[in-house]
Amino acid sequence: MHTRFAILLAAGLLAACASRDDRTPAGRPGGPSDDRVETRRDATSTAQTVEGYKRDVAQRISQVNSTRVYVGRPQALLRSVVVVRYTVDSGGSLIRSEIMRSNRDRETESTALATLRGAAPFPKPASHLLRHGRLELAETWLFNSDGRFQLRSIAEPQMDQ
């Protein structure tokens, strides 16, 4: 009996240590509650692509704002979709952000901007991703009717998909 328990415990610990695929969306095993952005000692993201860095930033935003994040598949008919364009400098600081597209829901626009700003600074982007010392990105906030959100970069498919 003790041996069986020890084997189950060891299997559970090994499963918890398993690495995830970079494309694992939020809400699934490996989602925002148990992901950590990997960085080098100097706080530089290990992401080698713009999309990878964008997922790192999305993960950071989700972690810092975990009580505002919807876990699971977003509802079929979303309350709001807000696209924010933002710029990060070589140190990971947010230097600019603006609403690029929305349905003019002021509350969700404010939430999107506030959650982005509140999560800064971000991991430093790898130097080869920068243009003139900056990296410009866009992210989409998907809001459910209760006001919680997921970020498209790490979100699960909506319920109707």
Side-chain angles (χ1 to χ4, degrees):
M1 185 70 166
H2 291 291
T3 304
R4 190 175 296 167
F5 177 75
I7 291 171
L8 287 173
L9 181 62
L13 289 172
L14 287 173
C17 294
S19 65
R20 71 165 185 92
D21 181 353
D22 278 345
R23 295 164 295 187
T24 302
R28 293 184 185 164
S33 62
D34 56 0
D35 275 348
R36 297 290 175 244
V37 174
E38 291 186 31
T39 60
R40 296 185 180 95
R41 282 192 161 166
D42 67 351
T44 300
S45 168
T46 58
Q48 295 300 304
T49 64
V50 171
E51 285 304 310
Y53 182 73
K54 186 175 165 179
R55 282 190 301 272
D56 283 354
V57 171
Q59 195 59 49
R60 167 85 177 144
I61 295 166
S62 292
Q63 288 169 357
V64 170
N65 299 284
S66 62
T67 60
R68 294 175 150 181
V69 173
Y70 182 80
V71 177
R73 294 179 68 186
Q75 64 195 40
L77 214 49
L78 294 169
R79 169 183 172 177
S80 182
V81 176
V82 178
V83 181
V84 176
R85 180 176 28 216
Y86 62 98
T87 306
V88 176
D89 70 11
S90 61
S93 295
L94 180 67
I95 56 175
R96 191 176 68 109
S97 61
E98 64 183 342
I99 301 294
M100 206 166 118
R101 192 176 314 141
S102 84
N103 63 340
R104 307 235 187 270
D105 179 332
R106 298 294 177 220
E107 184 181 340
T108 59
E109 288 178 349
S110 293
T111 298
L113 290 171
T115 56
L116 174 69
R117 291 174 184 147
F122 305 110
K124 297 175 188 175
S127 60
H128 70 274
L129 300 177
L130 301 172
R131 301 263 187 241
H132 306 290
R134 299 177 175 185
L135 179 58
E136 188 171 297
L137 303 157
E139 182 61 78
T140 304
W141 274 250
L142 308 170
F143 286 91
N144 274 352
S145 57
D146 64 4
R148 293 181 296 157
F149 67 89
Q150 281 189 9
L151 299 168
R152 178 164 279 153
S153 295
I154 56 174
E156 288 191 50
Q158 284 176 258
M159 287 188 188
D160 66 336
Q161 294 180 354

